[in-house]
Amino acid sequence: MSVRLSARFAALKRENRAGLIAYVMADDPDPDSALEIVRALPAAGADIIELGFPFTDPMADGPSIQRAGQRSLKAGGSLNSTLALLTAFRQTDHDTPVILMGYANPIEQMGYEAFAANLSGAGGDGAIVVDLPPEEDGPLRAAFARHGLPIIRLATPTTNETRLTTVLAQASGFVYYVSVTGVTGAKAVGAEAARAAVSLLKARTDLPVAVGFGVRDAASAASIAQVADAVVVGSAFVDEIARLVDDGRAHEAPRAVAAKVRELSEAVRAARQMERA
Amino acid sequence: MDARRNWPDLPDANGRFGAYGGRFVAETLMPLVLDLERAYRDAQADPAFAAQMSDFLRDYVGRPSPLYFAERLTEHFTKIAEAEGLGGAAKIYFKRDELNHTGAHKINNCLGQILLALRMGKTRIIAETGAGQHGVATATVCARFGLPCTVFMGATDIERQKPNVFRMKLLGAEVRPVTSGAATLKDAMNEALRDWVTNVDNTFYIIGTAAGPHPYPELVRDFQSVIGREARAQILEKEGRLPDAVMACIGGGSNAIGLFHPFIADESVRLIGVEAGGRGIDERFEHSAAINGGRPGVLHGNRTYLLQTEDGQILEGHSISAGLDYPGVGPEHAYLNDIGRAQYLSATDDEALAAFQLCARLEGILPALEPSHALARVGDVAKELGPGGLIIMNLCGRGDKDVFTVADSLGVTL
């Protein structure tokens, strides 16, 4: 698996804290601003970056990320331009793991082997493909294995015992626990239920467990950070971009996103200290 | 007489028709589609389910639908063939699925799926609709079986299809406008999937066409196959032999696969689908001919032919017929195309309009604009087969819903 990714999770473990995984969409609101946004994420406290690539029909995403995808497409976004953004980011940052997230069709059109080679060449550290469940991810898994890249598998509140065996069988990198039944950003996570699910997952796998989909504010991020290895936040950052674009102040987006990341990151970093205190 | 060959029983255990089909859904939905498959296998093995289906198909839907000899249309094409120095034209039969309750074939599938939903103990139904035909059929069975129904419909389509929106409301359904994307059928399907992923415990999603994640393409096909089973028995009774060709229009392709499937093993029978050629099949993508003008890809839970850009973004497509206006096609059609068992032609908006008017004047039947596409190619096939040939075309819907569109296209203000 990706050296950057395992090194980052090992470091988080040493520091006894959860990581913050920050999701943003490539080329949202435009290629230059997006590069600036992504470059600012590590210093603001993002431990891992999840970089969305746009798709016209994002069936698992709520309104925030749907609109981010539409802004990206309007600005010329594609899987290719996402890889270009990653390449540009890697010129100045060699340590922050970057995971791509999106839907299968753009990858199908590029070809699984080509995607794996391009992602590896661009300095990527894995991918989450929402509509490739374990039953369908074989070809991509094989291509990724040739390039030492992990496919991040998803577990959800509907994943029962039998299903979990299937999910964990070929999982690598980390396990992404989708904490709500629903689309991204729509419902607030029930922190207690998510914590219980994380404990169950950790009993079944040695892989790090990240929690996402319903985490929007510092309080819920902190609560989950007490038990999970990482917390994924996306819609809250993407909403900052939307707000400023709507106000005609898109140029302020990088600073606003960084400020939001800092707020969430501080909550995540403080979570286990609070627990001990 | 006609030899039947053993065709592989598809889809396979992974829901594949060759390279097509599959279960490309979010992990949250995987346990649900696996549950649905188990429930469907259970229903298939239960004679009570088949008996219940057949009772409702007879007394509520009005089946069997007649197989009608379109004599005047046959004469019309015979004359044209003779004028062209050909020997004549094949006999044309219509499978009259437009005479079903609600006026189209859609009800066959909705009935099967709601009975399945009831067996599974589901208490809420959702559906997507484009033109509103599947929405109306779903709202109809929901009223009949007393389940609350939410229909997702693109805001653009709601504006274009007001009578059907009101029909659904009369039947007690909630019509939820979808404003995401281009606000048409594919966006309505995205939104239905988002609802399903949110309400996993009590909700059953009635998909309207033979597409979506496995087992939907299979079960929709099976529920629609009543069309082909009846037609096969009816033509044997009337003509004493199998037809030379069976023809149907293709949007997602549920009426076509329902007609084709019982004939697949009859290798002497040509299976001919007709896609919506819109304003012409070219790089402008102002058509909905996924097989003739698209490439394989993944959307809405299955791999199939899709209208898309080079980098895999899905295109909207266009057809004068809202029911064919979908950028994909059912995976079994993609497979039948690739192995050469079925042939896929296309007809433009204008050709469908002309066929609509021809059928009205010669047969006294207003066909829906969807089967008008199939009808637009029936003459060519009838001439090619010549006298003594036999064609069955599925007249899968009635045209009352289309009078406004047709009037508009003909420059008539109502």
Side-chain angles (χ1 to χ4, degrees):
Chain A
M1 99 154 184
S2 149
V3 175
R4 264 188 294 267
L5 194 60
S6 46
R8 183 54 49 101
F9 275 112
L12 289 170
K13 196 165 190 177
R14 277 198 307 277
E15 294 169 36
N16 186 29
R17 68 174 181 90
L20 175 66
I21 303 182
Y23 171 99
V24 290
M25 174 70 76
D27 297 347
D28 173 25
D30 59 73
D32 291 343
S33 306
L35 178 58
E36 209 183 320
I37 289 169
V38 174
R39 277 189 172 146
L41 292 175
D47 298 292
I48 295 169
I49 295 169
E50 210 178 285
L51 187 59
F53 54 95
F55 183 49
T56 37
D57 295 81
M59 64 176 180
D61 283 307
S64 296
I65 293 179
Q66 285 174 41
R67 282 196 285 269
Q70 282 170 7
R71 287 193 298 270
S72 168
L73 288 169
K74 207 173 156 197
S78 65
L79 181 52
N80 267 316
S81 73
T82 303
L83 291 164
L85 191 158
L86 174 53
T87 305
F89 171 75
R90 273 284 169 256
Q91 287 169 4
T92 52
D93 185 308
H94 307 287
D95 304 321
T96 309
V98 177
I99 307 293
L100 260 56
M101 182 166 187
Y103 293 81
N105 198 48
I107 298 174
E108 284 244 333
Q109 302 314 311
M110 181 177 282
Y112 289 119
E113 175 56 36
F115 174 57
N118 293 341
L119 180 59
S120 172
D125 301 286
I128 302 169
V129 188
V130 180
D131 50 353
L132 284 187
E135 283 78 356
E136 304 291 355
D137 72 6
L140 183 59
R141 209 168 58 231
F144 268 29
R146 287 191 283 276
H147 294 273
L149 292 168
I151 285 195
I152 312 304
R153 288 263 180 93
L154 305 171
T156 79
T158 60
T159 310
N160 56 28
E161 276 294 308
T162 341
R163 186 75 202 148
L164 193 56
T165 308
T166 310
V167 168
L168 294 177
Q170 312 278 351
S172 53
F174 60 93
V175 177
Y176 187 132
Y177 182 67
V178 174
S179 59
V180 296
T181 55
V183 292
T184 49
K187 293 188 202 170
V189 57
E192 276 316 306
R195 287 160 59 114
V198 170
S199 308
L200 279 175
L201 275 172
K202 293 189 82 70
R204 294 282 303 272
T205 178
D206 293 332
L207 290 172
V209 175
V211 175
F213 263 54
V215 190
R216 295 190 67 102
D217 55 49
S220 52
S223 172
I224 287 165
Q226 287 174 5
V227 293
D229 298 298
V231 181
V232 190
V233 180
S235 295
F237 304 144
V238 165
D239 282 348
E240 287 296 298
I241 301 174
R243 182 174 61 82
L244 291 164
V245 167
D246 290 347
D247 282 1
R249 296 187 291 153
H251 60 279
E252 292 176 34
R255 220 167 50 196
V257 172
K260 195 79 189 170
V261 170
R262 201 164 291 119
E263 178 192 331
L264 273 293
S265 157
E266 279 163 12
V268 167
R269 280 163 199 258
R272 290 192 202 160
Q273 289 154 16
M274 270 165 34
E275 191 185 32
R276 278 196 299 274
Chain B
M1 42 186 236
D2 297 275
R4 282 174 74 85
R5 201 180 79 176
N6 281 334
W7 279 77
D9 201 13
L10 293 176
D12 67 16
N14 297 313
R16 295 300 181 107
F17 302 89
Y20 302 104
R23 284 176 286 225
F24 294 87
V25 293
E27 179 57 31
T28 313
L29 289 181
M30 271 308 295
L32 279 76
V33 299
L34 292 171
D35 265 357
L36 176 59
E37 188 181 353
R38 272 190 295 272
Y40 183 52
R41 299 287 170 246
D42 185 58
Q44 282 177 309
D46 181 359
F49 182 75
Q52 198 184 16
M53 272 298 282
S54 111
D55 282 356
F56 278 105
L57 283 173
R58 185 188 63 228
D59 300 337
Y60 190 66
V61 178
R63 301 205 74 93
S65 66
L67 185 72
Y68 164 74
F69 173 41
E71 190 174 4
R72 296 246 294 145
L73 208 58
T74 301
E75 278 170 16
H76 172 79
F77 289 121
T78 301
K79 276 183 202 147
I80 292 178
E82 285 168 359
E84 290 172 4
L86 302 167
K91 281 176 87 170
I92 298 160
Y93 279 87
F94 288 163
K95 179 62 175 160
R96 301 285 307 272
D97 253 53
E98 101 279 15
L99 295 177
N100 293 335
H101 180 41
T102 72
H105 69 290
K106 292 287 184 190
I107 190 91
N108 303 329
N109 166 49
C110 290
L111 182 64
Q113 289 200 45
I114 202 161
L115 292 177
L116 210 48
L118 290 167
R119 282 177 76 95
M120 295 176 78
K122 301 290 182 181
T123 55
R124 174 177 177 263
I125 300 292
I126 57 170
E128 84 294 340
T129 198
Q133 294 305 101
H134 173 61
V136 168
T138 304
T140 298
V141 296
C142 286
R144 171 58 186 80
F145 293 96
L147 291 186
C149 176
T150 300
V151 178
F152 293 90
M153 188 169 184
T156 312
D157 288 335
I158 287 181
E159 200 47 44
R160 291 194 290 200
Q161 309 285 341
K162 283 179 185 159
N164 272 342
V165 173
F166 187 57
R167 276 187 195 110
M168 287 184 265
K169 288 181 179 167
L170 286 173
L171 291 160
E174 177 203 356
V175 179
R176 207 173 288 175
V178 175
T179 53
S180 58
T184 58
L185 177 56
K186 82 176 171 74
D187 307 293
M189 199 153 177
N190 291 332
E191 212 53 42
L193 286 163
R194 290 178 189 127
D195 181 293
W196 200 24
V197 92
T198 307
N199 300 292
V200 290
D201 293 328
N202 64 348
T203 298
F204 189 102
Y205 180 16
I206 298 188
I207 293 185
T209 194
H214 178 66
Y216 281 102
E218 178 188 351
L219 65 88
V220 174
R221 173 197 72 197
D222 293 351
F223 293 142
Q224 292 294 1
S225 288
V226 66
I227 301 170
R229 281 197 306 274
E230 287 176 5
R232 194 172 184 280
Q234 288 165 322
I235 197 80
L236 286 174
E237 194 190 315
K238 282 179 193 287
E239 295 281 349
R241 72 172 184 93
L242 289 170
D244 300 296
V246 296
M247 299 181 66
C249 61
I250 308 268
S254 71
N255 95 84
I257 203 68
L259 176 65
F260 291 178
H261 196 255
F263 289 102
I264 283 182
D266 299 311
E267 294 198 35
S268 65
V269 181
R270 282 170 65 185
L271 314 177
I272 302 173
V274 182
E275 294 191 304
R279 301 188 187 104
I281 299 175
D282 55 34
E283 68 289 343
R284 293 172 306 157
F285 288 101
E286 289 177 353
H287 63 82
S288 296
I291 292 178
N292 282 290
R295 285 179 294 121
V298 170
L299 178 70
H300 293 152
N302 59 169
R303 180 180 290 123
T304 187
Y305 280 90
L306 299 169
L307 301 185
Q308 55 180 322
T309 63
E310 282 298 310
D311 56 357
Q313 305 300 335
I314 308 302
L315 294 161
E316 283 297 325
H318 157 82
S319 169
I320 189 171
S321 148
L324 303 182
D325 199 349
Y326 178 70
V329 64
E332 191 161 8
H333 288 297
Y335 168 74
L336 291 173
N337 174 73
D338 283 15
I339 63 167
R341 177 65 189 92
Q343 180 187 6
Y344 294 88
L345 310 173
S346 68
T348 63
D349 289 351
D350 289 345
E351 290 174 316
L353 266 173
F356 178 99
Q357 295 170 82
L358 186 70
C359 187
R361 290 189 186 157
L362 290 182
E363 295 293 347
I365 297 171
L366 291 186
L369 281 169
E370 290 82 7
S372 296
H373 284 75
L375 196 56
R377 291 280 83 81
V378 157
D380 303 341
V381 177
K383 284 192 279 183
E384 189 190 325
L385 291 172
L390 277 180
I391 297 172
I392 298 175
M393 190 206 90
N394 192 21
L395 195 62
C396 61
R398 66 178 180 223
D400 307 55
K401 69 177 174 67
D402 294 317
V403 291
F404 294 100
T405 309
V406 172
D408 194 46
S409 302
L410 299 176
V412 176
T413 311
L414 296 180

